[in-house]
Amino acid sequence: MTSPASVKQRPLAGASVGIPPRNIQFAHQYYSKRRYPIADNAFASSFIAVLSGIFPPGERFFVESVRHFRDQITDPVLKAQVSGFIGQEALHGREHERLNAIFSDMGIRVDFAEKGVGMGLAILARFSPEQQLACTIFMEHFTAIFGESFLQHRQFRDACEPESLKLWTWHALEELEHKSVAYDVYTQVSNSWRLKLQAGPLVVAAILPGILASLVAILAHDNQLQKRHIKSHLKGAAMLFGKHGLLKHVPRRIPDFFKKGFHPSQDDTTALEQQWRETLFGKQGLLSEQLSTPTLQ
Ligand SMILES: [Fe+2]
Ligand SMILES: [Fe+2]
């Protein structure tokens, strides 16, 4: 008979290649329900809520675009990495859905983001599977930059609501752990330079309007589009896009994707990943308990 302990220890395929899907159900019930959980700032908090809103449909798109080519992968290591990638992304989507349900209960219209970006993804889904995968590797490049910035930006993390911070930190770490997988699949099944070049403008045209429109709609719904809010919004925008903001590296690093010879692993984040694996899942890790009792709710 198989004991529960031996079930827990059995390595998943992804785990054997450093991409373990960690089945954590975050204790969202302890979310503080501060309306603006990032530094009490409406703009920054709404932007982060938009990101949470777009992750479930986004992660489904990523998973499907990689899964389409799964059977063409023969290399056992890449096969295992694909398995880990799919498992991690599926769990990210699930936990963001649970967090989004909290936002919805609070009257924060994350569904605007989900629908807006969902429409953009539906447009991308009309392109060839190869083009969709090229779009995925472009968006994974963004999530890797975002993940790295999030883990490095102490000041922004300190401004976050503590319960949801755990989710964002877990997600950021795993984005780094699997950042090369979709890219390596693309290299094997297509590697078209043209499709890669097209992915950038396609993603921007299909996804950015939904992000911006839903951000404005969420702020409008919260009655936050009055003149007197401008100063606070500028402060929030600086927290995200300013000289010392969370996303300050994005404009500089996005173009790397289009350079000849680019590979996600060229930005070496192994030490950062190791540091955060220890912080989250080490002996005294912040999430060790949730990890060992995955049915916690
Ligand atoms: Fe993810
Ligand atoms: Fe990802």
Side-chain angles (χ1 to χ4, degrees):
M1 201 175 87
T2 317
S3 72
S6 65
V7 169
K8 212 172 73 183
Q9 282 165 13
R10 189 176 61 197
L12 294 164
S16 63
V17 288
I19 306 176
R22 301 177 179 91
N23 186 8
I24 302 173
Q25 294 196 347
F26 287 86
H28 292 308
Q29 66 269 36
Y30 298 123
Y31 184 87
S32 69
K33 297 194 172 58
R34 266 164 50 201
R35 183 142 199 101
Y36 299 123
I38 316 290
D40 291 316
N41 183 279
F43 186 93
S45 303
S46 301
F47 183 82
I48 294 297
V50 165
L51 285 188
S52 187
I54 68 178
F55 271 123
E59 316 260 23
R60 276 194 292 275
F61 181 91
F62 299 166
V63 165
E64 288 314 315
S65 63
V66 170
R67 205 200 305 268
H68 181 88
F69 294 103
R70 196 178 193 175
D71 293 343
Q72 295 181 32
I73 304 298
T74 49
D75 173 37
V77 173
L78 186 54
K79 253 177 152 18
Q81 289 171 333
V82 165
S83 168
F85 169 84
I86 290 175
Q88 287 191 338
E89 296 290 42
L91 290 166
H92 299 166
R94 184 191 76 189
E95 287 308 301
H96 277 283
E97 261 170 10
R98 294 180 66 235
L99 178 62
N100 294 343
I102 303 255
F103 288 141
S104 292
D105 286 349
M106 293 165 63
I108 297 169
R109 298 295 304 270
V110 276
D111 58 308
F112 290 155
E114 199 162 350
K115 284 176 198 143
V117 167
M119 284 194 293
L121 291 168
I123 294 169
L124 294 182
R126 298 169 80 109
F127 286 84
S128 70
E130 288 80 6
Q131 183 67 75
Q132 289 182 52
L133 186 58
C135 290
T136 288
I137 62 172
F138 181 68
M139 290 188 272
E140 280 283 283
H141 178 53
F142 170 79
T143 56
I145 300 169
F146 177 79
E148 184 178 357
S149 301
F150 193 85
L151 296 180
Q152 287 174 331
H153 205 301
R154 175 89 191 259
Q155 205 185 350
F156 193 89
R157 284 200 322 277
D158 285 349
C160 291
E161 190 279 333
E163 275 307 316
S164 59
L165 176 63
K166 293 177 187 167
L167 178 150
W168 287 105
T169 310
W170 159 77
H171 193 167
L173 167 65
E174 294 192 350
E175 286 306 317
L176 295 185
E177 288 179 333
H178 72 230
K179 67 180 178 181
S180 296
V181 178
Y183 198 93
D184 289 340
V185 172
Y186 183 74
T187 306
Q188 286 216 1
V189 301
S190 169
N191 209 20
S192 155
W193 176 245
R194 183 177 57 83
L195 296 183
K196 252 184 86 175
L197 280 183
Q198 285 173 184
L202 270 178
V203 167
V204 170
I207 304 299
L208 199 59
I211 292 178
L212 297 177
S214 56
L215 177 61
V216 172
I218 287 173
L219 289 168
H221 183 262
D222 264 13
N223 216 7
Q224 286 283 332
L225 289 185
Q226 290 150 7
K227 224 174 169 182
R228 64 193 163 94
H229 297 123
I230 289 176
K231 208 172 153 190
S232 157
H233 293 342
L234 288 175
K235 198 175 152 200
M239 283 180 72
L240 294 163
F241 311 109
K243 208 166 125 196
H244 303 292
L246 176 67
L247 299 173
K248 65 180 174 189
H249 297 304
V250 171
R252 181 176 56 82
R253 292 193 40 201
I254 282 287
D256 291 347
F257 180 81
F258 302 104
K259 287 181 186 157
K260 288 267 184 203
F262 165 81
H263 189 271
S265 63
Q266 286 162 352
D267 179 45
D268 185 3
T269 51
T270 46
L272 185 68
E273 292 166 42
Q274 187 48 42
Q275 175 202 332
W276 280 99
R277 261 192 299 274
E278 189 57 33
T279 305
L280 296 183
F281 305 110
K283 258 189 184 160
Q284 307 289 325
L286 295 171
L287 293 173
S288 300
E289 234 169 81
Q290 272 107 319
L291 186 61
S292 57
T293 53
T295 52
L296 178 82
Q297 205 164 15

